[in-house]
């Protein structure tokens, strides 16, 4: 019998937290997260705590701010256009869109607030000024 202690491999804490958040959303539970960065300014300032509700990509409408996964990172950006299988996403303060994202990459969306649809229309014009 081996009495040596078991040493766990080191894991990236952010990866573990993101995995737990994704699991909660997929289970149908809303999550509260702190936004970081400035890509969604003026809608979301860095440090703002937001509630993300579970949502399938097929339920997203233009103007919704969605949480999606790209290259192992969770990102909150606005849907500018919606097709049957994908979304064109962009941070409000970014000059360029993220590109098209498949519906299955969407994990949830922020609760609707007045002005979201108007910001979606303005977003392409805001980007160069604030990107």
């Amino acid at each position: 019998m081996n009495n040596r202690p078991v040493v766990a491999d080191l894991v990236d804490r952010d990866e573990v937290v993101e995995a737990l958040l994704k699991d909660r959303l997929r289970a149908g539970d809303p999550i509260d997260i702190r936004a970081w960065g400035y890509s969604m300014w003026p809608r979301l300032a860095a440090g703002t705590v937001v509630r993300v509700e579970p949502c399938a990509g097929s339920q997203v409408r233009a103007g919704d701010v969605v949480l999606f996964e790209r290259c192992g990172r969770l990102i909150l950006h606005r849907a500018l256009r919606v097709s049957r299988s994908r979304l064109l996403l962009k941070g409000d303060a970014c000059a360029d869109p993220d590109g098209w994202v498949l519906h299955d990459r969407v994990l949830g969306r922020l609760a609707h607030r007045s002005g979201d649809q108007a910001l979606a229309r303005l977003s392409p014009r805001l980007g160069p000024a604030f990107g």
Side-chain angles (χ1 to χ4, degrees):
M1 180 175 223
N2 185 349
N3 290 329
R4 291 185 311 181
V6 176
V7 178
D9 290 330
L10 294 177
V11 295
D12 183 338
R13 186 172 85 75
D14 291 341
E15 288 179 17
V16 172
V17 170
E18 286 185 3
L20 291 171
L21 293 174
K22 289 188 279 190
D23 286 347
R24 287 210 35 217
L25 284 168
R26 289 181 181 131
D29 298 324
I31 61 170
D32 294 326
I33 59 174
R34 186 174 311 278
W36 59 275
Y38 297 94
S39 66
M40 284 301 296
W41 188 88
R43 170 64 160 84
L44 298 175
T48 302
V49 175
V50 296
R51 175 152 288 212
V52 177
E53 299 169 344
C55 173
S58 60
Q59 298 171 315
V60 174
R61 297 176 303 189
D64 288 347
V65 175
V66 299
L67 180 69
F68 68 101
E69 184 177 15
R70 172 170 274 167
C71 300
R73 293 186 53 215
L74 298 180
I75 301 170
L76 277 169
H77 278 178
R78 186 175 307 283
L80 296 180
R81 297 200 175 36
V82 179
S83 78
R84 289 181 190 229
S85 62
R86 56 193 186 147
L87 311 164
L88 181 63
L89 301 173
K90 178 182 171 298
D92 289 350
C94 296
D96 298 313
D98 300 307
W100 290 94
V101 175
L102 295 175
H103 283 193
D104 66 358
R105 306 314 295 171
V106 173
L107 299 166
R109 71 176 160 206
L110 299 189
H112 289 282
R113 291 195 337 193
S114 62
D116 278 351
Q117 301 301 323
L119 277 173
R121 289 189 299 276
L122 288 173
S123 182
R125 291 180 215 125
L126 288 176
F130 301 109

